[in-house]
Amino acid sequence: MSSEVLRIGSRGSRLALWQAEQAKDRLLALNPGLLIEIQIIKTTGDVKPDPLSVIGGKGVFTKELEESLLDKRIDIAVHSLKDLPTIIPDGLSISAICEREDPRDALILPWDRGRLARTAAQDALKPAGGPPAVPGSLRELPTGSVVGTSSQRRLAQLKALRSDVTVKDLRGNVDTRVRKLDEGQYDALILASAGLIRLGLRGRISASIDTTEMLPAVGQGAIAIETRADDEIAVTATSKLNHRETALACRAERAFLRGLGGGCQFPIAAHAVVEGELLNLEGLVAKPDGSAFIREQLSGKIDHPEDIGSALAERLLERGAGALLNG
């Protein structure tokens, strides 16, 4: 490939820049001759401190990046897939979905307690007459714990599981959120495992939350590469980053979300797994306060992942999912 300059657009957070740098390094390795630069673009979600439920979840972290693509100020946008609306603007396309990191949510405890949770067995932490064991899952959090999250999906599932805990809104980048925890503003946080791992903070994960307790967000843990659909150079270069199994799973999840007409500001969750020639999708819709939810799964051939997602969405709608979302 002859020398070409491709401009990658990224948000300015440490995690977003990590993702952009990873994409850049892989593109350079797979496409000798490319020249690549990264441009930082501020999005609505970066500059407004209000909760996502107030400013609106759809596109608040992606809109300005997509506008920059359409205006040809950048050639590639790197997104956390869970932030990308299921309907993208005309003229743009997702040219690759990169291999997924751990899609699960993570329970984060203040530093000392979290360290104990990671390095000692639960029963060793509970001698006769001693302090209670350090939580190893959401079910073991002490009654009345203050848990930080900005996600309606996490809030609803947490309250469905533990109505006795208090949920407090949480904003800021990963480092800011963890600092607030260690300062005592929260007793625990729920964050995406993938972001912590990518930032070298795997050691702060006190417990990985099993998907039987909390289903993740649609596309969680995956990175999406978006380009102009007619930009042959960018599409050809970035399509080499696509990971087949991840893309199939995420296409099913996004079809499920699209079928429900929701976004990341709604309590909707999904997780798909590819096993051989089969794809298993599990989806959930909940009332915002967690007082009711509908959860089902559906399996099918991997040839048509969108059909599986759409069919599962229809099944949940038939069971009253629309009323839960509007309740």
Side-chain angles (χ1 to χ4, degrees), residues 89-252:
D90 291 340
L92 300 183
S93 67
I94 298 175
S95 56
I97 298 177
C98 305
E99 185 172 4
R100 200 173 212 166
E101 185 50 86
D102 188 340
R104 294 174 296 177
D105 288 308
L107 176 67
I108 316 301
L109 300 174
W111 178 247
D112 287 343
R113 295 173 67 210
R115 177 175 55 81
L116 290 172
R118 290 186 302 274
T119 59
Q122 287 292 314
D123 56 356
L125 295 174
K126 195 175 182 181
V134 175
S137 76
L138 297 177
R139 298 181 187 277
E140 297 170 359
L141 283 171
T143 298
S145 292
V146 177
V147 181
T149 179
S150 60
S151 162
Q152 290 294 307
R153 169 189 62 82
R154 291 177 182 137
L155 184 156
Q157 292 186 84
L158 176 60
K159 294 298 282 186
L161 188 69
R162 292 292 307 273
S163 61
D164 58 315
V165 303
T166 298
V167 180
K168 183 179 175 182
D169 191 64
L170 177 69
R171 288 298 307 274
N173 59 38
V174 172
D175 294 321
T176 298
R177 296 180 184 199
V178 173
R179 174 179 55 78
K180 291 178 178 179
L181 171 71
D182 290 338
E183 289 174 349
Q185 298 183 39
Y186 303 86
D187 296 312
L189 306 181
I190 301 177
L191 301 176
S193 295
L196 292 160
I197 293 169
R198 287 169 175 152
L199 291 176
L201 298 174
R202 185 190 295 269
R204 288 307 305 261
I205 298 176
S206 304
S208 296
I209 302 173
D210 194 85
T211 56
T212 58
E213 285 194 345
M214 182 171 288
L215 279 179
V218 166
Q220 185 161 300
I223 296 172
I225 308 296
E226 191 176 22
T227 59
R228 290 182 295 278
D230 62 356
D231 187 338
E232 184 177 347
I233 293 175
V235 171
T236 300
T238 58
S239 62
K240 298 177 184 178
L241 303 183
N242 193 62
H243 185 259
R244 177 176 176 269
E245 287 76 16
T246 299
L248 288 168
C250 290
R251 284 167 57 189

Side-chain angles (χ1 to χ4, degrees), residues 11-58:
R11 296 168 56 205
S13 71
R14 192 158 72 96
L15 178 57
L17 288 173
W18 183 95
Q19 294 176 165
E21 289 288 354
Q22 285 290 305
K24 175 183 176 180
D25 290 347
R26 291 195 61 204
L27 283 169
L28 290 173
L30 294 170
N31 301 277
L34 281 185
L35 298 175
I36 300 176
E37 60 185 39
I38 296 175
Q39 295 184 12
I40 296 176
I41 297 171
K42 288 186 177 181
T43 68
T44 301
D46 296 317
V47 299
K48 290 191 175 182
D50 304 299
L52 295 182
S53 58
V54 174
I55 62 178
K58 286 188 177 181

